[in-house]
Amino acid sequence: MFSERINRLQGSLVREILAVANQPDMISFAGGLPAPEAMPKLDFTGLPDNLSQYGPSEGEKWLREAVAAEMSKNGVKVGAEDILILTGSQQGLDLSAKLFVDEGTPVMVEAPTFLAAVQCYSLYGARFVEVPLTATGVDLDELERKVKSERPRFAYLIPTFQNPSGVCYDEAARQRVADLFDEYNVTLLEDEPYRELVYDQCDRAPICARLKKASWIHFGTFSKTAIPGLRVAYLACSPDLMPHLYKLKQAADLHTNRQGQWAMHKLLTSSDYPAHIARLRQFYHGKRDIMAAALDKHFHDIADWVKPPGGLFFWLKLKANIDSYDLLQPALDRKVAFMPGKPFYAVPRVSNELRLNFSHASPEKIEEGVKTLAEVIRAHL
Amino acid sequence: MFSERINRLQGSLVREILAVANQPDMISFAGGLPAPEAMPKLDFTGLPDNLSQYGPSEGEKWLREAVAAEMSKNGVKVGAEDILILTGSQQGLDLSAKLFVDEGTPVMVEAPTFLAAVQCYSLYGARFVEVPLTATGVDLDELERKVKSERPRFAYLIPTFQNPSGVCYDEAARQRVADLFDEYNVTLLEDEPYRELVYDQCDRAPICARLKKASWIHFGTFSKTAIPGLRVAYLACSPDLMPHLYKLKQAADLHTNRQGQWAMHKLLTSSDYPAHIARLRQFYHGKRDIMAAALDKHFHDIADWVKPPGGLFFWLKLKANIDSYDLLQPALDRKVAFMPGKPFYAVPRVSNELRLNFSHASPEKIEEGVKTLAEVIRAHL
């Protein structure tokens, strides 16, 4: 006999798609995998022996200092004591769920939002309060209405190159969200995995830096810019939350692997790292433009989209009102994988949207896959 | 406002002791730290670049195969598909709590038991059902009574060099536990972090290998025999549990760090590893005997204990009926740290017991610390 939460342990749709998508002959627009050829080289030379022992639950001091310095540069004035090193930012979702979510707790999310956040908060029994997105960020009038009427315990937002929509909140939206959360005492959980993957000018100043009263957690990761396999990420938070998050981290896995923290710190502080980030942006910028051109060519009459100013995804809305989930099997039969819109909504609905990743496939495969996918859709219409 | 479980997030006693115990002039018998001088050398030479990408949630195939082969040698006939790689065995506690524990769920534990298990299961709202220990394992009559009357959803047991008591279940106890759990359908969670640290002959065949019907999870780790800082551990389980544990693992941190899995696999499969384990046993065996001699000399008239046949701890019961927690500050004032008995009991009680670790301090410091601790106790009486 299992716990009640196992009834809420969500299904295998995404995992199944990703499993199929990893077949070697498949063109995959499904996952969010960084391109292996764009990853920096790991170097464990000089790894100190004293990191073999158990380490501190909060993470290594030198890595926390480096993260705090970087966040301060981005406008979030924090010290090492405000940083908690995580075993991947997925762990941040889990710790925040433990901190905040009981069965029935109102949790505000964007619609659409990151599917792993939906899965994680669902597991703990969250009741989702959705706020739709516009081209310039979350719908502010709707946000205010829902904040007042639903009193969410926290809001989970992805303001910079939102996953899956690609939206980047403009400055007015960022300030208004901060003001509302201060006024109504809503805790902000700000997830920014893609903030360094910027291709066009836009406001990327974290919302948490604008808060005056509300509590907040800011999640960051090195998985999109460096080495996902190391499982090293971090959070920064307001001082009231750290004592609890620290204990929850300790209860979850004692601490994050120290060798990974060391190798990541070595990468981050290497003289080449700024140039690596610049190269990475240029590389993904090129791939985004290749997918944009392919979409212009093959999708102009069957879907609408906005070219994302950063991140790893295009978010397409079909002109026809069909369930994009029904396109999945026909597309897989033609060896193209994508993510249908459905699992990105916290409150289940039919969606005529598709998320297409452009970081992983080669330029030739992007063109070929987009063409094939358009054929599949036209055949279905 | 936090979740209800935060009210159950347990206190800082242990963390405070360990923080103080890590001061450089302190003789620490408090933690369970392996000796750094007994750790094998980590070698990342040859690390494949393709491990930089995201990896499988269940862990790397080659490591799962190596673990399954080792477990099969120990009598637990499993394949790689029955192994889940964990980010430290602490994560196993968390995943099992998620799988089984709702508020009020009856959870059977030994009295005393591993304090981190108490903390973890408490967080999820466990109602503990304690069964006392005897010199040959858990009290079997009491176990049967409690299984019948309390119907625990699972039992968390540490049959081999139990922490903190050092008890190793004999063969009859192992068989009887298996029979009872099969008969009453109690899921067994068997935690064996210390099984390789054996100094005297005793039965170490895992209980899960004797089960015919009941579900089970077996936790194992490399933290006590190799490199705790890597955070690589594993579980094996009955096939009915794996689909849920796999999803819970994915929701917790996607997967365990791949570079750590690779380095651990390299260590495990190196030609020197069996000799390393033999050296480690000899080294800790020597330290155990040094602490045993010091205790015989300084504690013979103030405490009772059994020399542990394996593991890392002595468990002392004072002859006087005093709260060993009251000895902590006087001992710390004299620069000796130990763990009082109290936090090892799932159901709070006063304890006149002490746990002393012998793996971390040097032979000279063991003698000096035991002598000082005896003086502190005599002064207190």
Side-chain angles (χ1 to χ4, degrees), chain B residues 320-336:
Chain B
N321 201 11
I322 57 172
D323 186 346
S324 59
Y325 188 73
D326 295 338
L327 300 168
L328 189 57
Q329 195 54 55
L332 292 174
D333 291 343
R334 296 279 309 273
K335 302 293 178 191
V336 179

Side-chain angles (χ1 to χ4, degrees), chain A residues 3 5 15 52 98 229 250, chain B residues 3 5 15 52 98 229 250:
Chain A
S3 68
R5 79 181 62 78
R15 274 181 293 272
S52 290
K98 283 172 174 157
Q250 187 174 61
Chain B
S3 68
R5 81 180 61 76
R15 273 182 292 273
S52 289
K98 284 172 174 157
Q250 188 172 61

Side-chain angles (χ1 to χ4, degrees), chain A residues 8-164:
Chain A
R8 303 188 295 254
L9 189 56
Q10 283 187 6
S12 46
L13 168 65
V14 176
R15 274 181 293 272
E16 278 169 27
I17 296 174
L18 292 178
V20 177
N22 284 337
Q23 291 171 5
D25 57 344
M26 189 69 68
I27 299 176
S28 179
F29 302 142
L33 296 186
E37 63 269 36
M39 288 181 194
K41 181 92 183 153
L42 264 182
D43 179 8
F44 282 95
T45 314
L47 179 74
D49 281 344
N50 65 10
L51 296 181
S52 290
Q53 188 56 278
Y54 287 105
S57 293
E58 64 272 22
E60 302 298 327
K61 189 159 174 284
W62 24 265
L63 182 58
R64 298 167 78 209
E65 284 170 349
V67 168
E70 182 67 22
M71 291 205 65
S72 295
K73 261 197 331 204
N74 294 334
V76 189
K77 303 297 177 200
V78 289
E81 68 278 10
D82 304 310
I83 307 297
L84 184 69
I85 303 299
L86 301 173
T87 304
S89 61
Q90 179 75 32
Q91 184 173 63
L93 298 174
D94 188 55
L95 299 186
S96 62
K98 283 172 174 157
L99 181 55
F100 291 116
V101 185
D102 293 314
E103 202 165 338
T105 297
V107 170
M108 178 171 271
V109 292
E110 299 149 323
T113 187
F114 180 39
L115 54 86
V118 174
Q119 291 173 318
C120 189
Y121 297 138
S122 290
L123 182 63
Y124 290 84
R127 176 174 69 76
F128 290 106
V129 177
E130 289 190 324
V131 187
L133 286 164
T134 72
T136 53
V138 74
D139 181 323
L140 293 165
D141 293 336
E142 188 69 5
L143 181 78
E144 183 166 6
R145 262 194 301 278
K146 292 277 179 70
V147 161
K148 284 182 190 167
S149 66
E150 303 290 338
R151 292 300 183 147
R153 192 171 285 176
F154 68 87
Y156 171 83
L157 304 179
I158 313 163
T160 306
F161 318 134
Q162 205 262 359
N163 179 9

